[in-house]
Amino acid sequence: MKAPLLLLIALIAAISWNCSSPSVDAAPSLPTAFVPENTLPSLQELNERFWQARKITIVYPAASPQSKDLQRLADSLHQNIRRYIEVTIKTDEEVQAEDWTKRALLLLGCPDNHQLLQELLPDLPFDFQNQQLQFDGQTFAHPTSSLVLPFYPNPLEPSMPLAVVTANSDQALLEFMTKQLAKGWRLFGFGNWGYELFENNQRILLGLFHQEKWVVDKKVHYNFSQAEPRTIETEHFQFVLKEEALSLTDAQAFAEEMEQEASSVQQFLPKQNTSPKINYYLYASTEQKGLMLNNSQQAHLSNKSIHEVVNDIYRPFRTAAAAQMLCRQQLGWPKTKALERGLAVYLTPNWQQKGYAYWAAKLHRSDNLRPLSELLNNAEFERGSPLIGSCLAASFVAYLIDANGKETFLKTYQQWEAKGAELTRLEKEWKAHLAQLPLPSSPTIAQKTFYKGFNFAHEGYMGYNGYGSRKAREAAQKIRSINSNALAVVPYSYMANPERPDFISIRRSAYSETDEGVIHSQAIAREQSMAAMLKPQIWVGNGKWTGDIRMRTEADWQSWFRHYHRWISHYALLAEIHQFELFCIGTELIHTTLERPADWRQLISRIDKLYSGQLTYASNWGQEFEQSDIWQQLDYLGIDCYYPLSNKTKATNGELRKGFRSILRKIEKVQSRHDKQVLFTEIGFRSKEAPWIEPHAGDRREQYQGEDQSRSYQIVLEGLKGKEWCKGIFWWKFPSYMEFDRSPNAGFSPCGKPAEETVKKEFAKLPGK
């Protein structure tokens, strides 16, 4: 799913956070660093060479007044990566040719006092003049300007990579490094740029180099440094518009709404002296917010500021960010974190459109509450579902105010906490309070007569090419243009060990499959009149897959189902809030369904009461689909259909048709037994020779052959005509950015391959608009 080679750049990108200043004496003489453009390796070649070597020399300036600080930070980096890479740390006076001929170099320091960096500067893609960084024809004179060059051919040894972290001053560099490391930058992650330039610890310039020519690729180049920010001032806020794409009219309307919310909040809070205005930064998209801040959440608080995306997709779903900052400003930080978030949501009547009380009642009536002990535990609250945690925290705040009065609540706000026997009493009284909330309605979510579309894969981990991006919108438009009417949105989480129950996280890092990216994917589907299925999946580490998840004891099974319920109920609530047409409650969890059907039926019952649309489960082809007994409460039988069409490399179309008819008979037998329609939640073929032999197996790096993929698509789509028991088909898969599969490869995507035209032609013949 996520290529290991990408991890390399992440390593050096996160290694790259250091810098320094004054003068140096003579260092070892260095060869002239001139590298003709046509001798440079490609990015892939550089990646491969690095992983073969797995060695880095970190070089910092010996003569800098901050030399000891830089050495200390280099040591910290060494500790972080020593499991994966052999690391040597040297000064620029100690470095030798052997440190760059067979090792990657990481240069930490400012060019003024880093001898090696000075020598290499003429052959690097940036310059440094008069203590000012220069890049791509632009000078960056701000005192805090810092530049990260994570991965570039070393002019001294082009077959090995070079990383540089530098700044306009030593002090700026050290502050930059310290703050970035404090944020917990991960050494191994996804989303690495060719270059990044920061001011005040915010990215103002970033992009990629051409993967072979190593020049700035203007197609993937973002410059946030040039536009003058526009501002709007109100009584409580100073709004700063961070993008030209955000219209002044929309921003003014949003500012008025937030000011009304602020007035309401201030009426609730105790009278205090006038507080300074809150800086409220507005962004037009999660893509741009993520690129600038490495945070693509709809809204987040940072120090004394709010950062929020304002557009038609997210604006109707209030976040309570303004109320939370106002409460923090007036009341300070409470010991119990759920109180701050709960009070803010309590004071935001239209939180997530319908307000906390509606959603809390929905969770209570459907038996999807969280234990109060979990809600009031700071660590559990922060890592749990932000949707479920927020509305339940608000309902608990409402209970405390009703039970003890507003004045007591505000007076005890900062120091309040509950432990032991008090938790038992509070939970009982809180649930009684929830039971009095009005019964929530169950909206009717319209369904397609027949679903024909793709699993929409988040293949981009760099912000500009994943779920929340403009390129994702282009991909959705392409999917619609080939006569699709649906797509499945597939956010992933992770389990390290398939035999050990553990917390299953909800992805929140900027470039992963975040809730904001999921919401954006559904919105762009609706723009194209397509339905959306939410289909969360688990990625299992160490080469395993969900079919390997199998607990060894009863206690572990119960623990696993608790973790899974906490995870999947978050997405069920997300699907309900945004009214996804379909929700897939699990994917290919073979042992869990075959061995624990009663646990699954209990889980399905709880999710069915929470989510109003149509439910399915994506069972694995073969034993799970044919023998599972969890279908009673589900609306559709779901199958990830990778049965072989033939075992012959040179199978004829007639033989392939015969093979698919045999598969259809297997499916019809199960369908008849349960009397429910079938969704092909997945089916797919790689673009290689004879993909029908093992449709699920193979590698994108195999030899490309598109015609056999197209033939397989043709056989399946022709075979489904007139099958009234079939509710639809979601091909595996279509990428979130079309360039992902543009060059010939053996991957699943039909994008730009003969199978794309086959889909367009055959989808037009199937029912469903």
Side-chain angles (χ1 to χ4, degrees):
M1 172 188 163
K2 296 143 179 135
L5 292 177
L6 290 177
L7 300 179
L8 153 74
I9 315 179
L11 157 77
I12 304 189
I15 287 179
S16 24
W17 305 119
N18 298 16
C19 232
S20 265
S21 153
S23 60
V24 288
D25 296 325
S29 59
L30 299 169
T32 302
F34 172 74
V35 184
E37 181 182 296
N38 60 6
T39 68
L40 294 178
S42 69
L43 175 62
Q44 181 176 344
E45 290 168 340
L46 205 59
N47 276 336
E48 291 171 351
R49 183 65 190 276
F50 176 83
W51 278 114
Q52 290 170 2
R54 293 177 181 264
K55 297 178 180 179
I56 294 176
T57 300
I58 303 176
V59 183
Y60 65 96
S64 168
Q66 280 80 25
S67 180
K68 290 185 177 180
D69 291 328
L70 289 171
Q71 182 183 20
R72 175 176 51 80
L73 290 170
D75 287 338
S76 297
L77 292 170
H78 180 196
Q79 295 300 315
N80 288 342
I81 64 172
R82 61 182 179 177
R83 284 180 54 201
Y84 309 98
I85 306 295
E86 178 186 308
V87 179
T88 301
I89 301 173
K90 293 187 176 183
T91 70
D92 55 351
E93 295 177 351
E94 298 169 334
V95 67
Q96 302 292 329
E98 63 186 28
D99 292 306
W100 63 71
T101 54
K102 296 182 180 181
R103 306 174 69 94
L105 280 182
L106 170 58
L107 307 185
L108 307 177
C110 296
D112 272 357
N113 63 340
H114 197 301
Q115 181 67 21
L116 181 54
L117 184 53
Q118 285 182 16
E119 294 284 346
L120 298 185
L121 201 56
D123 295 291
L124 295 177
F126 69 95
D127 203 356
F128 188 76
Q129 299 290 335
N130 301 319
Q131 300 226 313
Q132 296 178 355
L133 289 165
Q134 297 177 351
F135 187 89
D136 195 38
Q138 186 175 351
T139 297
F140 298 89
H142 197 280
T144 66
S145 294
S146 305
L147 174 69
V148 177
L149 185 72
F151 203 69
Y152 195 81
N154 186 348
L156 298 172
E157 178 55 59
S159 67
M160 294 302 296
L162 171 77
V164 178
V165 185
T166 188
N168 281 349
S169 70
D170 293 341
Q171 190 61 37
L173 177 61
L174 290 168
E175 290 178 2
F176 169 73
M177 287 180 59
T178 301
K179 289 182 178 179
Q180 294 300 333
L181 289 172
K183 292 179 180 178
W185 271 354
R186 296 184 305 170
L187 293 178
F188 288 90
F190 302 102
N192 302 96
W193 298 95
Y195 50 89
E196 298 176 85
L197 203 142
F198 295 75
E199 285 181 4
N200 289 322
N201 287 285
Q202 290 191 8
R203 276 193 295 215
I204 61 168
L205 186 77
L206 69 160
L208 297 177
F209 295 112
H210 188 283
Q211 294 195 12
E212 295 178 350
K213 298 180 180 179
W214 294 98
V215 296
V216 171
D217 184 350
K218 290 298 184 181
K219 294 179 181 178
V220 193
H221 176 78
Y222 302 93
N223 191 338
F224 307 119
S225 69
Q226 297 172 338
E228 279 294 322
R230 297 162 291 163
T231 61
I232 301 170
E233 289 204 23
T234 64
E235 181 181 352
H236 295 95
F237 307 104
Q238 176 169 287
F239 294 90
V240 182
L241 285 63
K242 297 295 285 187
E243 302 172 57
E244 292 296 331
L246 183 61
S247 78
L248 189 59
T249 301
D250 287 345
Q252 286 173 332
F254 181 79
E256 290 174 5
E257 292 169 7
M258 290 302 98
E259 192 57 47
Q260 290 175 3
E261 282 194 16
S263 297
S264 177
V265 171
Q266 292 290 28
Q267 289 176 12
F268 177 89
L269 297 175
K271 298 288 184 181
Q272 292 195 6
N273 295 330
T274 303
S275 300
K277 291 184 178 182
I278 296 169
N279 289 325
Y280 207 135
Y281 297 97
L282 306 183
Y283 305 80
S285 67
T286 54
E287 176 183 355
Q288 296 299 82
K289 182 173 180 281
L291 293 177
M292 295 178 74
L293 304 180
N294 205 32
N295 184 314
S296 58
Q297 295 174 17
Q298 182 180 344
H300 79 277
L301 310 185
S302 174
N303 297 322
K304 297 180 181 180
S305 302
I306 304 171
H307 300 266
E308 184 159 359
V309 177
V310 180
N311 62 31
D312 291 340
I313 294 175
Y314 305 103
R315 184 171 166 183
F317 302 92
R318 287 286 183 262
T319 64
Q324 187 167 346
M325 183 60 82
L326 286 163
C327 291
R328 186 177 296 178
Q329 188 183 60
Q330 296 283 358
L331 301 175
W333 296 76
K335 183 177 288 188
T336 302
K337 293 184 177 181
L339 292 191
E340 180 184 85
R341 183 62 185 158
L343 180 58
V345 173
Y346 171 80
L347 294 172
T348 305
N350 53 352
W351 180 79
Q352 297 299 317
Q353 282 198 324
K354 296 185 177 182
Y356 82 89
Y358 178 91
W359 300 116
K362 193 92 173 173
L363 289 165
H364 175 62
R365 304 272 180 165
S366 61
D367 190 24
N368 284 288
L369 292 182
R370 299 293 187 261
L372 194 59
S373 58
E374 181 181 313
L375 194 66
L376 300 182
N377 179 291
N378 288 341
E380 291 292 328
F381 181 74
E382 287 197 320
R383 75 173 185 166
S385 164
L387 287 175
I388 294 176
S390 291
C391 68
L392 294 183
S395 72
F396 184 70
V397 165
Y399 152 70
L400 289 177
I401 292 172
D402 287 352
N404 304 317
K406 170 183 163 181
E407 290 186 8
T408 300
F409 174 81
L410 293 174
K411 184 178 180 180
T412 60
Y413 175 80
Q414 281 195 349
Q415 297 302 318
W416 189 91
E417 60 180 341
K419 295 180 180 179
E422 187 183 9
L423 273 174
T424 303
R425 175 184 64 82
L426 289 171
E427 181 146 28
K428 181 179 179 180
E429 294 177 4
W430 172 52
K431 287 182 177 179
H433 174 85
L434 287 169
Q436 296 174 11
L437 294 175
L439 183 67
S441 60
S442 294
T444 300
I445 301 176
Q447 300 292 307
K448 297 282 187 185
T449 56
F450 188 89
Y451 295 96
K452 45 190 182 182
F454 289 86
N455 283 266
F456 190 46
H458 177 91
E459 299 287 7
Y461 288 84
M462 299 189 71
Y464 78 97
N465 54 9
Y467 273 166
S469 66
R470 286 167 288 183
K471 286 191 175 294
R473 175 176 273 108
E474 293 171 2
Q477 291 168 346
K478 180 67 172 180
I479 292 171
R480 184 70 183 96
S481 75
I482 55 177
N483 295 315
S484 300
N485 68 3
L487 56 79
V489 186
V490 190
Y492 275 89
S493 188
Y494 177 75
M495 279 184 64
N497 187 334
E499 297 182 355
R500 186 183 68 218
D502 202 356
F503 179 80
I504 306 173
S505 64
I506 296 154
R507 305 298 290 273
R508 302 187 195 187
S509 57
Y511 302 149
S512 62
E513 300 98 319
T514 62
D515 288 353
E516 287 78 10
V518 167
I519 295 164
H520 182 269
S521 298
Q522 184 209 28
I524 60 180
R526 284 185 171 171
E527 288 174 7
Q528 302 298 316
S529 300
M530 292 192 291
M533 172 167 66
L534 184 52
K535 185 169 174 274
Q537 296 189 193
I538 296 175
W539 184 257
V540 183
N542 300 315
K544 303 294 185 178
W545 67 301
T546 52
D548 295 315
I549 294 174
R550 192 180 197 182
M551 301 300 110
R552 299 303 180 186
T553 68
E554 178 64 23
D556 281 353
W557 271 120
Q558 294 301 323
S559 179
W560 186 85
F561 272 97
R562 281 195 300 272
H563 288 306
Y564 191 83
H565 170 252
R566 282 171 170 78
W567 178 71
I568 201 67
S569 59
H570 165 81
Y571 287 106
L573 181 59
L574 185 71
E576 178 71 1
I577 290 171
H578 293 274
Q579 298 198 10
F580 277 75
E581 286 83 355
L582 298 164
F583 184 68
C584 185
I585 199 170
T587 298
E588 299 176 11
L589 293 153
I590 297 173
H591 293 294
T592 74
T593 61
L594 293 176
E595 298 176 26
R596 310 291 296 194
D599 290 319
W600 265 103
R601 285 192 286 270
Q602 182 183 40
L603 174 67
I604 293 168
S605 176
R606 298 166 80 177
I607 298 303
D608 187 40
K609 295 172 187 175
L610 177 61
Y611 170 69
S612 302
Q614 302 295 290
L615 280 175
T616 190
Y617 169 85
S619 61
N620 195 52
W621 60 284
Q623 184 183 17
E624 186 181 26
F625 175 72
E626 295 170 23
Q627 298 181 16
S628 182
D629 190 27
I630 66 168
W631 302 111
Q632 182 178 350
Q633 297 146 290
L634 295 171
D635 297 291
Y636 302 124
L637 309 180
I639 180 172
D640 288 359
C641 185
Y642 295 99
Y643 290 102
L645 299 182
S646 171
N647 60 6
K648 294 183 179 180
T649 302
K650 300 299 182 182
T652 65
N653 283 351
E655 290 170 329
L656 295 178
R657 290 190 185 97
K658 181 179 179 181
F660 191 56
R661 285 196 296 269
S662 175
I663 293 168
L664 291 178
R665 285 193 292 272
K666 292 178 186 287
I667 296 173
E668 287 169 343
K669 185 177 179 180
V670 178
Q671 185 274 326
S672 178
R673 184 164 72 244
H674 295 284
D675 193 25
K676 293 180 184 288
Q677 287 184 293
V678 176
L679 269 176
F680 286 80
T681 43
E682 285 182 29
I683 185 170
F685 301 90
R686 295 182 185 270
S687 44
K688 65 176 187 177
E689 184 182 17
W692 49 73
I693 296 176
E694 288 186 296
H696 67 287
D699 193 295
R700 292 181 71 250
R701 292 171 292 184
E702 294 181 73
Q703 185 173 355
Y704 167 77
Q705 204 271 58
E707 290 302 324
D708 281 359
Q709 181 192 39
S710 180
R711 289 174 62 201
S712 303
Y713 271 65
Q714 183 81 34
I715 296 300
V716 168
L717 291 171
E718 285 181 351
L720 290 180
K721 292 174 186 174
K723 302 297 183 182
E724 294 185 0
W725 52 261
C726 181
K727 185 64 179 179
I729 179 172
F730 289 86
W731 287 103
W732 185 266
K733 56 187 176 174
F734 204 97
S736 56
Y737 70 111
M738 290 183 285
E739 293 87 345
F740 176 77
D741 261 352
R742 277 288 163 82
S743 57
N745 63 77
F748 277 104
S749 171
C751 183
K753 303 172 186 176
E756 181 185 301
E757 188 59 34
T758 300
V759 170
K760 183 176 183 178
K761 179 181 67 175
E762 296 301 326
F763 266 3
K765 300 175 184 177
L766 290 171
K769 294 182 179 179

